[in-house]
Amino acid sequence: MKRILLTTTSLVLAAGVAQADVSFSGTAGVALIDDNGASDATRVDMFFESYYDFDITASAESDNGVSVSVGFDMGAGNKIDYNDDDELEAQGNTIGDADVAVSYAGWTLTVDQAGIDNLFDDDFDSQDVQISGSIAGWSVAMTSDQEGSTSSYSIGGNVAGVALTFTGTDVAAAGGDASKIAASYAMGNGLTLSASVQDEDGVAEDEGKIGFSYAMDSLTVSYTSIKPGGVAGSDSYGDEWDFSVKYTAGALVASFAIDEADATTIIADYALGGGASAFAAMHDKAGTASDLTTVGLNFAF
C-alpha cells in the first residue's frame, strides 16, 4: 500500500511540472590572421585561430500564460570579428553564466548578472536586468545594474513613415549622461535617408550625422557626413565622412568602404551551403599599425 501511495503522489507532482522545449545551436570556425601584433605583440606575421560557441536554450509556458526561458553557452578559442571591430573575441563562456527570461502579456524580464548589453553602447555588457515590451506601438526597453546604480534605455517607433530611436545611459564608461536620437526614412525606389545626434558628458563624443543609402539591384551605395565633437578645427558636417559600396550576387556579398582618413575596408563573404561560409577581409587603417588581413571559414549549426 505504501508503494502504491508513493507512486500515485509522484504522478500527481510530475503532472504539475512544465514540459520544456530545448534547442541547441552554435558556431565554429577557423581563420588565418595577420593583425600586426594587435592581439599579441609576439604575433607579427600570419597565425591561425579556431573557436567554437555552443548555445543551449530551454523554455516552458505555464497555463496562465507566463513563459520562462533559460539560456547558456559554452565556448573556447578566439573568433575574429572581421566585419565590426576587428578584434579577436574570446569564446570562453561557461555554463555558470545564467541568463533567465520571464515573459507575460508582451513584456519580458531578463536577468543575467553583469551579462546584459548597455542599450546605448553594446560594447559594455555589465548590466544585470532588462525589461522590454511595447506601449502604443513603440518598443521600450530599460536595463539596470543595481550594484553600480547605473542604467540605460531605448525607445523606438514610427511617426509618419519616419523610424525614430532614442537611446541613453548613465554608465560613465559608455559616455556618462549620454543620449542619442536617430531617424531614418525610406523614400522608395531604394533611397533611404538617415540622421542622428549624439550627446555625451563633455564634448569628445558629441556628434551629428546625416546620410543616405541607395539600393540599385545588386549594388547599395551609402554615404554619411559627420560633424565630429571635441576635435579642434573640425566642427562642421563633412569634416568626417564614411562612404561604402555593397555588392550582392547569389551566395556572394562583397563590400568596400573608405573614410576621410583614407582608411579602407574590403570584405567578401561567400555562403557555401549547409551553414558553412567563407570570408576574406582587409582593413587598412590610416595612421595606425593596426591593419588586419584575414581569411577563414565559419560554420553555423
Side-chain angles (χ1 to χ4, degrees):
M1 178 64 68
K2 287 183 180 180
R3 180 174 300 174
I4 294 174
L5 288 175
L6 179 60
T7 303
T8 303
T9 302
S10 299
L11 289 173
V12 171
L13 290 174
V17 177
Q19 299 300 307
D21 294 322
V22 181
S23 63
F24 303 88
S25 63
T27 58
V30 60
L32 182 61
I33 304 165
D34 182 358
D35 64 0
N36 284 279
S39 58
D40 187 332
T42 64
R43 292 173 162 178
V44 294
D45 296 312
M46 300 292 283
F47 60 91
F48 279 101
E49 280 284 357
S50 61
Y51 79 95
Y52 82 88
D53 181 43
F54 187 59
D55 305 311
I56 302 173
T57 302
S59 60
E61 184 172 344
S62 67
D63 293 339
N64 59 5
V66 177
S67 61
V68 180
S69 67
V70 58
F72 57 88
D73 63 85
M74 61 190 81
N78 295 289
K79 179 182 180 180
I80 183 65
D81 193 359
Y82 64 90
N83 55 6
D84 187 10
D85 57 16
D86 301 342
E87 294 183 356
L88 280 173
E89 298 180 342
Q91 307 297 301
N93 290 331
T94 68
I95 59 175
D97 295 327
D99 183 356
V100 178
V102 181
S103 300
Y104 180 72
W107 289 84
T108 299
L109 174 70
T110 305
V111 179
D112 185 2
Q113 179 68 27
I116 294 176
D117 285 343
N118 184 291
L119 297 172
F120 178 80
D121 188 341
D122 60 10
D123 285 340
F124 301 91
D125 58 357
S126 60
Q127 301 287 280
D128 302 330
V129 60
Q130 174 176 309
I131 185 168
S132 59
S134 62
I135 301 176
W138 288 71
S139 61
V140 179
M142 295 183 64
T143 70
S144 175
D145 172 14
Q146 295 300 105
E147 298 90 342
S149 298
T150 61
S151 62
S152 68
Y153 67 85
S154 174
I155 303 171
N158 193 291
V159 178
V162 179
L164 297 172
T165 304
F166 305 86
T167 56
T169 188
D170 57 5
V171 175
D177 291 327
S179 62
K180 181 178 180 179
I181 302 174
S184 66
Y185 179 68
M187 298 187 65
N189 298 319
L191 179 62
T192 299
L193 305 180
S194 62
S196 66
V197 178
Q198 181 171 301
D199 181 22
E200 298 185 12
D201 275 349
V203 296
E205 294 297 329
D206 296 351
E207 66 179 19
K209 296 181 178 181
I210 54 175
F212 74 88
S213 65
Y214 183 56
M216 304 168 288
D217 297 324
S218 58
L219 284 178
T220 300
V221 178
S222 301
Y223 176 80
T224 302
S225 177
I226 304 169
K227 179 183 179 181
V231 181
S234 298
D235 56 1
S236 301
Y237 281 100
D239 287 336
E240 294 182 4
W241 51 267
D242 296 319
F243 174 79
S244 66
V245 179
K246 183 178 180 181
Y247 175 75
T248 303
L252 174 66
V253 179
S255 62
F256 168 82
I258 190 170
D259 64 13
E260 79 288 341
D262 290 333
T264 58
T265 299
I266 301 173
I267 300 175
D269 290 280
Y270 190 84
L272 301 172
S277 62
F279 66 85
M282 187 277 290
H283 300 262
D284 182 4
K285 304 175 184 180
T288 75
S290 300
D291 296 347
L292 173 73
T293 303
T294 181
V295 294
L297 293 171
N298 285 323
F299 180 73
F301 54 89

